[in-house]
């Protein structure tokens, strides 16, 4: 059932009030988005211009002496998201395979409803659970100096993005018709061979999009990360393979943006612009994930037709 | 030999997926169980019907609950007309697939923006540039923008599932396009609209990040009297603040109670959406 073709429906070119309102409302929302993007670029650009490349390469953020170099926050954001995806992607893959390939009928519906319900649990609740249970658990078992670390934030995020990965990949696996599965099974292939030879190749774009959207969510998650990340500025590894900062308190772009430093920053143009530049980065990273995902879907649908 | 290899690969695959699923449901069930266990004992009639005192260490969360519902209601009023307009534009008024794709991407972009960025932008535009200070209305506007894609895409998909005959019959009776929209299109896609709306409101009710600098304070507000300088209290922000003081047993106890009430609100909206979702799937199978 395709979307009803209005080229025929509205060929009389009448301009109804409904149409005017619907265009006006959409224009209003578009204006809001445009203003938001404009704001990020206009307000954030002076900091990039002033600090240059050092903004990304040096970990030196002391607003009291007007030093604004953000490398440690960018590092924190990437490490936290990387940990989250590393844990959540395989588990999410396995769980969505179980829901889509081994469950059917009402157990499947039940499992899916639970997962979608859990996707809606507020991040502040995950944050509280993280403080009370995950943080002491990691502190005890990993011999850390404190429970508030980049690792804690990453593990907490992995739990938070699991429902997103599972429900989107399940949709992708389910979009492959059951006839193809049955054909493959009737040729004597095992369930595992059926999955990897018929379902997975077709569902791969959808699975990649699920991972990308979950990454976007992990990059932008604020409240839960804020509560467990430790919020210690200016920590960077000594070399590329030095994982030490991961086991210590750190800072991410979002935990910086969520802190009360915002109120102090507003009065000082340099400081404010540096803060908005952090937001600009976050926006660019997340939009990268969203838009690549969207392109994959558009390309997939085009090649299918 | 080859046969056994294939069978064992299959068994490995099955066990891996089973273990992943058990792990997922186990972790999530544990979380929910903890919330119910710790939360239920912290909630009493007094707790939800009295206002906070001693900086959250004692008293209840009456105004936090009221504040959260003020936000939900504001979002409902703002998002309903906007999402109907957007869904109609996407489903009807855009003339070709290409512009529809671009419009959909535009909605995905809004949907993908991290909530804290809405917060910073709202702080700049409403709190400072418009000079509103902290206001419930800013919170309502920001949350509306955040959930708008969810609601309008759900409605738009509902519209696209309406059988073509319905619209053509209405048109052939001589109804104007507006009349077709109000008498056929919107009533027929109502359950998709409601299910998207409820899921969006559930999400809005639990958001903290966009409200941090724009709408909520921790104490000292009740029912807002105007727009400027009218902050409110809200459940998520209350939990957020108490969580940072969770080394105090009394703060923790109240945080659990607030979590329990917030989860009830969120689950109530999500569960309410379920019958509408089932109904919209039935409509699709007509």
């Amino acid at each position: 059932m395709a979307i009803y073709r209005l080229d025929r429906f509205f060929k009389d070119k009448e301009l109804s009030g409904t149409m005017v309102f619907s265009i006006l409302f959409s224009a209003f929302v578009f204006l809001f988005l445009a203003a938001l993007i404009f704001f990020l670029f206009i307000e954030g650009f002076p900091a990039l211009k002033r600090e240059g490349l050092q903004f990304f390469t040096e970990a030196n953020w002391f607003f009291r002496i007007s030093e604004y170099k953000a490398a440690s926050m960018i590092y924190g954001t990437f490490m936290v998201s990387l940990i989250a995806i590393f844990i959540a992607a395989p588990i999410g893959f396995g769980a969505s395979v179980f829901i889509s390939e081994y469950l059917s009928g009402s157990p499947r519906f039940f499992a899916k409803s639970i997962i979608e319900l859990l996707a809606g649990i507020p991040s502040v609740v995950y944050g509280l659970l993280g403080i009370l249970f995950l943080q002491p658990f990691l502190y005890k078992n990993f011999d850390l100096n404190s429970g508030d670390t980049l690792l804690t934030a990453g593990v907490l995020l992995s739990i938070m993005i699991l429902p997103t990965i599972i429900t989107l990949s399940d949709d992708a696996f389910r979009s492959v018709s059951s006839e193809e599965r049955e054909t493959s099974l009737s040729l004597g292939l095992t369930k595992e061979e059926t999955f990897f030879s018929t379902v997975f190749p077709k569902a791969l774009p959808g699975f990649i999009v699920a991972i990308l959207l979950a990454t976007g969510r992990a990059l932008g998650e604020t409240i839960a990360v804020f509560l467990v990340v430790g919020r210690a500025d200016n920590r960077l590894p000594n070399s590329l393979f030095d994982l030490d900062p991961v086991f210590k308190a750190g800072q991410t772009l979002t935990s910086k943006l969520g802190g009360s430093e915002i109120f102090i920053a507003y009065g000082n143009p340099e400081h404010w612009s540096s803060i908005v530049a952090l937001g600009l980065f976050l926006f660019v990273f997340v939009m990268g994930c969203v838009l690549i995902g969207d392109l994959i879907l558009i390309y997939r649908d085009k090649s299918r037709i | 030999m080859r046969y056994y290899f294939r069978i064992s690969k299959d068994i490995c695959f099955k066990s891996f997926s089973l273990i992943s699923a058990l792990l997922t449901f186990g972790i999530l069930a544990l979380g929910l169980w903890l919330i119910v266990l710790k939360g239920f004992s912290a909630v009493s009639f007094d707790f939800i019907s009295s206002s906070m005192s001693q900086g959250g260490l004692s008293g209840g969360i009456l105004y936090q609950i009221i504040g959260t519902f003020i936000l939900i209601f504001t979002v409902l009023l703002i998002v309903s007309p906007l999402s109907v307009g957007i869904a109609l534009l996407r489903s009807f008024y855009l003339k070709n697939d290409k512009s529809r794709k671009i419009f959909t991407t535009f909605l995905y972009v809004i949907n993908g923006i991290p909530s804290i960025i809405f917060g910073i932008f709202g702080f700049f535009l409403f709190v400072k540039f418009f000079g509103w200070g902290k206001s419930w209305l800013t919170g309502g506007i920001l949350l509306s923008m955040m959930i708008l894609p969810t609601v309008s895409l759900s409605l738009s998909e509902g519209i696209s599932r309406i059988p073509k005959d319905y619209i053509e019959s209405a048109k052939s009776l001589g109804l104007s396009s507006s009349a077709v929209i109000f008498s056929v299109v919107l009533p027929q896609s109502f359950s998709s609209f409601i299910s998207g709306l409820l899921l969006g409101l559930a999400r809005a009710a639990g958001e903290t990040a966009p409200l941090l600098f724009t709408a909520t304070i921790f104490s000292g507000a009740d029912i807002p009297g105007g727009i400027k300088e009218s902050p409110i209290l809200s459940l998520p922000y209350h939990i957020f603040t108490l969580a940072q003081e969770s080394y105090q047993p009394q703060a923790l106890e109240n945080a659990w109670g607030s979590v329990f009430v917030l989860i009830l609100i969120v689950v109530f909206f999500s569960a309410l959406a379920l019958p509408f979702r089932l109904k919209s799937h039935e409509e699709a199978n007509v």
Side-chain angles (χ1 to χ4, degrees):
Chain A
M1 271 188 247
I3 290 174
Y4 190 75
R5 300 307 296 247
L6 249 272
D7 348 72
R8 280 182 292 149
F9 184 50
F10 279 112
K11 63 176 170 237
D12 37 32
K13 295 265 181 217
E14 61 185 303
L15 192 68
S16 63
T18 322
M19 183 175 180
V20 171
F21 271 107
S22 120
I23 291 173
L24 267 181
F25 287 165
S26 307
F28 172 75
V29 176
F30 186 77
L31 208 70
F32 184 90
L33 178 69
L36 189 146
I37 296 175
F38 188 71
F39 153 78
L40 287 175
F41 276 92
I42 292 294
E43 295 280 305
F45 194 66
L48 298 184
K49 206 173 154 192
R50 190 184 66 238
E51 307 288 345
L53 262 182
Q54 290 172 333
F55 195 77
F56 318 94
T57 55
E58 284 181 23
N60 197 5
W61 182 287
F62 296 101
F63 68 86
R64 289 185 205 289
I65 53 168
S66 299
E67 285 286 355
Y68 309 104
K69 314 277 194 293
S72 73
M73 288 159 238
I74 297 173
Y75 170 79
T77 291
F78 270 102
M79 284 321 280
V80 162
S81 310
L82 211 64
I83 294 168
I85 288 297
F86 244 78
I87 300 173
I91 299 179
F93 172 77
S96 56
V97 165
F98 185 77
I99 292 177
S100 77
E101 306 298 312
Y102 291 100
L103 293 183
S104 59
S106 47
R108 189 182 124 71
F109 176 77
F110 180 72
K112 189 116 167 121
S113 308
I114 293 280
I115 292 288
E116 282 178 17
L117 202 66
L118 291 164
I121 288 188
S123 48
V124 68
V125 176
Y126 281 103
L128 185 68
L129 291 172
I131 288 185
L132 296 176
F133 302 104
L134 185 63
Q135 185 207 66
F137 176 77
L138 291 178
Y139 175 68
K140 264 186 232 151
N141 292 295
F142 281 78
D143 192 30
L144 305 170
N145 294 326
S146 120
D148 289 324
T149 62
L150 289 178
L151 177 72
T152 321
V155 175
L156 185 60
L157 270 181
S158 74
I159 298 171
M160 294 179 67
I161 62 175
L162 256 182
T164 312
I165 295 185
I166 294 175
T167 182
L168 290 175
S169 351
D170 173 74
D171 288 343
F173 298 151
R174 273 280 135 176
S175 69
V176 179
S177 75
S178 50
E179 277 165 43
E180 291 175 62
R181 284 190 185 84
E182 277 152 24
T183 312
S184 161
L185 287 172
S186 69
L187 288 171
L189 271 69
T190 64
K191 261 208 142 141
E192 178 260 345
E193 287 160 336
T194 300
F195 180 79
F196 283 109
S197 59
T198 57
V199 180
F200 195 62
K202 281 204 162 179
L204 186 61
F207 180 68
I208 294 175
V209 171
I211 298 292
L212 279 171
L213 290 184
T215 312
R217 183 151 181 231
L219 289 169
E221 173 51 47
T222 308
I223 294 300
V225 171
F226 182 93
L227 289 172
V228 299
V229 81
R231 280 172 285 140
D233 276 326
N234 305 328
R235 296 235 170 108
L236 268 190
N238 297 320
S239 71
L240 202 59
F241 301 103
D242 175 19
L243 283 178
D244 192 47
V246 172
F247 299 98
K248 290 191 173 139
Q251 184 83 278
T252 68
L253 291 170
T254 52
S255 67
K256 193 68 168 176
L257 290 170
S260 49
E261 202 182 309
I262 302 302
F263 294 114
I264 307 167
Y266 188 75
N268 175 345
E270 268 190 20
H271 192 180
W272 175 247
S273 164
S274 309
I275 287 279
V276 178
L278 299 180
L280 177 61
F281 275 128
L282 183 64
F283 180 78
V284 169
F285 295 150
V286 175
M287 279 311 129
C289 292
V290 171
L291 291 177
I292 292 171
D294 194 39
L295 278 179
I296 291 176
L297 287 185
I298 288 176
Y299 183 76
R300 179 193 72 181
D301 296 344
K302 201 182 274 172
S303 61
R304 185 169 282 178
I305 294 166
Chain B
M1 198 54 215
R2 172 107 184 99
Y3 174 75
Y4 288 113
F5 176 66
R6 288 179 54 208
I7 294 296
S8 49
K9 248 192 352 178
D10 189 46
I11 292 172
C12 284
F13 181 66
K14 184 168 186 176
S15 353
F16 171 70
S17 68
L18 180 65
I19 290 169
S20 310
L22 286 179
L23 197 65
T24 307
F25 284 105
I27 292 171
L28 298 172
L30 183 72
L32 278 186
W33 184 73
L34 284 168
I35 291 168
V36 173
L37 185 79
K38 303 259 182 182
F40 190 70
S41 62
V43 173
S44 62
F45 182 72
D46 257 7
F47 184 66
I48 57 172
S49 64
S50 62
S51 57
M52 179 181 93
S53 54
Q54 288 185 326
L57 292 183
S58 66
I61 50 169
L62 176 64
Y63 287 106
Q64 280 81 359
I65 297 177
I66 292 177
T68 295
F69 275 101
I70 290 175
L71 283 175
I72 293 177
F73 198 66
T74 314
V75 171
L76 178 73
L77 289 183
I78 297 174
V79 95
S80 302
L82 287 182
S83 61
V84 169
I86 284 180
L88 286 178
L89 184 68
R90 179 172 182 266
S91 301
F92 282 116
Y93 299 116
L94 289 180
K95 298 274 174 192
N96 59 53
D97 284 343
K98 197 173 177 193
S99 51
R100 196 170 291 129
K101 246 171 218 163
I102 293 173
F103 194 70
T104 308
T105 304
F106 154 69
L107 290 175
Y108 284 158
V109 165
I110 297 184
N111 197 34
I113 295 175
S115 51
I116 189 68
I117 293 198
F118 280 101
I120 303 280
F121 176 61
F123 175 72
F124 175 78
L125 185 68
F126 295 103
V127 178
K128 294 296 178 184
F129 190 72
F130 291 173
W132 287 3
K134 280 193 175 185
S135 164
W136 56 275
L137 185 59
T138 308
I141 294 172
L142 294 175
L143 291 177
S144 304
M145 290 299 155
M146 286 184 64
I147 70 163
L148 193 63
T150 311
V151 189
S152 29
L153 284 172
S154 175
L155 174 58
S156 180
E157 265 155 36
I159 291 176
S160 70
R161 286 194 296 248
I162 299 173
K164 216 155 97 175
D165 310 356
Y166 289 18
I167 295 171
E168 266 165 9
S169 319
K171 191 70 182 157
S172 67
L173 289 172
L175 295 179
S176 71
S177 57
S178 294
V180 173
I181 283 169
F182 282 103
S183 60
V184 179
V185 174
L186 292 181
Q188 285 295 324
S189 53
F190 186 68
S191 49
S192 301
F193 172 65
I194 294 293
S195 79
L197 184 67
L198 289 170
L199 288 179
L201 289 179
R203 194 178 139 205
E207 271 297 342
T208 320
L211 310 177
L212 283 176
F213 318 117
T214 56
T216 50
I217 54 174
F218 179 62
S219 68
D222 40 40
I223 313 272
I227 291 175
K228 278 193 174 185
E229 303 293 344
S230 311
I232 49 170
L233 310 178
S234 83
L235 280 173
Y237 189 64
H238 194 63
I239 298 165
F240 178 66
T241 316
L242 290 179
Q244 296 174 62
E245 291 166 20
S246 57
Y247 51 88
Q248 302 188 61
Q250 202 49 48
L252 186 60
E253 167 96 2
N254 284 347
W256 278 120
S258 316
V259 165
F260 189 72
V261 175
L262 179 62
I263 292 282
L264 276 187
I265 295 174
V266 170
V267 169
F268 173 74
F269 277 106
S270 314
L272 209 60
L274 207 62
F276 288 102
R277 280 183 61 197
L278 293 178
K279 186 145 183 287
S280 69
H281 282 286
E282 268 167 35
E283 278 164 10
N285 295 331
V286 167

